[in-house]
């Protein structure tokens, strides 16, 4: 599904673009009976310093101009931009600034939902989608940190061994279903996307601020059989503080 298709599917009641480039965009839309801020990437965007700064600015403007308004991230990104210019500018700092802006919005009462409709990879996803209160993906989306051939080159672990490990554990494997098993995704959407988005926002707004601040990904990963060791490690660390 491309950007225009997902915008039409999610915001049947209205969408107004305030900025639209080939690889990123933002604007406001109607979901149910309320307005939401929409920030997105498209065409497998590379998130560089400029784009990260733009997205952070929109988040901060939303905090100032639209108190308590939900923020929806729509994501199709191949990760952070691997360019000399961006690295010399300190891309990690720009990505951190974006992540902190999202956290600031949460602290000011904005619920944050992310929807992966295309590809979601690495830093371009960590600073947006993984910062949300709830993260969803469409069934035909793709989520990964690194593909197995690249992982093999970096770790020096033979590819065939990594492929065997991927069959045993979703931690090694790309794909929406594996991220659902690990507890990262709240759900994989099919059918009426607009209704599912409205329901997600309504449920988040009904939760207390303390409940929204809780990270349930490890618990979900244990329940779904995708992360058997994480919960045990956390308990040991907390017991020995």
């Amino acid at each position: 599904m491309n950007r225009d298709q997902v915008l039409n599917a999610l915001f049947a009641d209205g969408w107004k673009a305030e900025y639209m480039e080939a690889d990123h965009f933002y604007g406001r839309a109607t979901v149910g009976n309320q307005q939401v801020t929409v920030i997105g990437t498209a065409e497998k965007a590379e998130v560089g310093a400029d784009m990260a700064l733009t997205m952070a600015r929109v988040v901060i403007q939303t905090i100032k101009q639209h108190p308590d308004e939900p923020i929806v991230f729509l994501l199709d990104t191949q990760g952070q931009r691997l360019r000399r210019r961006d690295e010399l500018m300190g891309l990690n700092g720009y990505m951190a600034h974006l992540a902190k802006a999202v956290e600031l919005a949460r602290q000011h009462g904005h619920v944050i939902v992310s929807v992966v409709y295309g590809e979601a990879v690495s830093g371009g996803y960590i600073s947006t989608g993984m910062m949300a209160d709830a993260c969803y993906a469409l069934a035909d989306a793709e989520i990964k940190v690194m593909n197995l051939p690249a992982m093999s080159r970096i770790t020096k672990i033979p590819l065939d061994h990594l492929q065997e490990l991927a069959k045993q554990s979703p931690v090694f494997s790309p794909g929406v279903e594996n991220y659902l098993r690990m507890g990262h995704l709240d759900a994989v959407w099919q059918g009426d996307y607009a209704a599912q988005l409205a329901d997600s926002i309504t449920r988040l707004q009904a939760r207390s601020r303390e409940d929204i601040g809780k990270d349930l990904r490890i618990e979900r990963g244990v329940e779904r059989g995708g992360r058997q060791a994480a919960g045990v490690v956390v308990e040991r660390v907390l017991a020995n503080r």
Side-chain angles (χ1 to χ4, degrees), residues 9-61:
L10 286 171
F11 309 119
D13 293 331
W15 146 259
K16 182 179 180 181
E18 296 179 2
Y19 179 86
M20 186 78 80
E21 288 291 334
D23 58 356
H24 66 297
F25 58 97
Y26 60 83
R28 300 180 74 216
T30 302
V31 176
N33 60 356
Q34 64 183 315
Q35 291 284 294
V36 302
T37 294
V38 182
I39 304 170
T41 53
E43 299 293 338
K44 296 181 172 58
E46 294 180 322
V47 180
D50 302 296
M51 190 185 297
L53 199 60
T54 295
M55 296 170 80
R57 176 174 54 79
V58 176
V59 173
I60 293 169
Q61 285 178 342

Side-chain angles (χ1 to χ4, degrees), residues 116-133:
V116 180
Y117 71 94
E119 187 173 86
V121 183
S122 193
Y125 182 43
I126 291 170
S127 57
T128 53
M130 294 186 76
M131 288 294 297
D133 299 311

Side-chain angles (χ1 to χ4, degrees), residues 15-16 23 34 37 48 51 54 62 68 72 74 76 85-86 95 107-108 131 135 137 147-148 156 167 203 208 225 231:
W15 146 259
K16 182 179 180 181
D23 58 356
Q34 64 183 315
T37 294
M51 190 185 297
T54 295
T62 300
D68 298 331
V72 178
L74 302 180
D76 181 11
R85 169 187 176 271
D86 293 86
M95 304 293 275
Q107 292 175 6
H108 278 74
M131 288 294 297
C135 184
N147 62 35
L148 294 182
K156 310 304 180 185
K167 295 176 183 178
R203 286 188 288 106
S208 67

